Amino acid sequence: MSLKQPMGQKVLTNVSVVRLKKANTKFEIAAYPNMVSAWRNGVEKDIDSVLQMDRVYKDVERGEYASSKDLKKAFGTTEQAEVCKEILSKGEIQLSEKERAAQADSLLKEICTWIADKCVNTHSKRPVTIGIVERA
């Protein structure tokens, strides 16, 4: 039987969910939004500052914990910290709409900057500005 936390109208605003599907079971952990990438890049070493809860969930939104039997079957251990580390390193991050928009905007600016650096206006022989490339 899985443990359940009380369900209320609590909205997960400052949470990034990291998911990993293993042995036909979905496992999730709740982490701070920007800390997952910092941990993966080696900037952050302390796993406690990355995770909001050091528990593995079947469903973070519903508060359903993963059973020890499922953890043993999928990961070979019931040690929560070890399983959390594996999910952090191999799982996929569920991004919010704002985070996806920010990443897309950042990528667009990076591409426009690269194109502007390589291009020259043929009529005036001047470099093309980033604004012109973005509008094109």
Side-chain angles (χ1 to χ4, degrees):
M1 181 173 126
S2 65
L3 298 173
K4 292 189 178 188
Q5 291 180 338
M7 289 177 49
Q9 292 291 50
K10 192 172 188 180
V11 179
L12 301 174
T13 55
N14 194 26
V15 175
S16 281
V17 177
V18 183
R19 289 191 178 108
L20 180 67
K21 188 170 183 180
K22 197 166 184 178
N24 293 328
T25 308
K26 181 179 71 170
F27 298 99
E28 298 179 346
I29 55 175
Y32 291 104
N34 297 324
M35 298 302 285
V36 176
S37 58
W39 189 82
R40 286 182 175 175
N41 293 334
V43 175
E44 184 60 50
K45 303 287 184 201
D46 184 22
I47 195 165
D48 291 330
S49 62
V50 176
L51 299 177
Q52 290 194 345
M53 293 278 300
D54 57 344
R55 290 293 308 257
V56 179
Y57 293 88
K58 273 188 152 178
D59 191 338
V60 169
E61 275 189 45
R62 292 186 185 156
E64 295 179 12
Y65 293 132
S67 68
S68 296
K69 185 178 104 178
D70 289 340
L71 292 175
K72 186 75 171 170
K73 179 182 173 188
F75 298 97
T77 182
T78 58
E79 183 64 37
Q80 295 281 331
E82 294 300 317
V83 174
C84 286
K85 285 181 183 178
E86 184 170 342
I87 293 173
L88 267 176
S89 60
K90 296 180 181 176
E92 58 184 56
I93 304 169
Q94 183 69 31
L95 299 175
S96 70
E97 187 176 335
K98 288 181 183 177
E99 290 171 319
R100 283 192 299 275
Q103 281 185 346
D105 190 45
S106 174
L107 181 63
L108 176 68
K109 286 186 182 201
E110 186 178 325
I111 291 170
C112 289
T113 302
W114 184 81
I115 291 172
D117 288 343
K118 304 288 183 195
C119 294
V120 175
N121 187 334
T122 56
H123 300 294
S124 65
K125 304 293 184 205
R126 294 184 132 175
V128 176
T129 64
I130 296 171
I132 292 173
V133 174
E134 284 179 346
R135 284 177 268 160

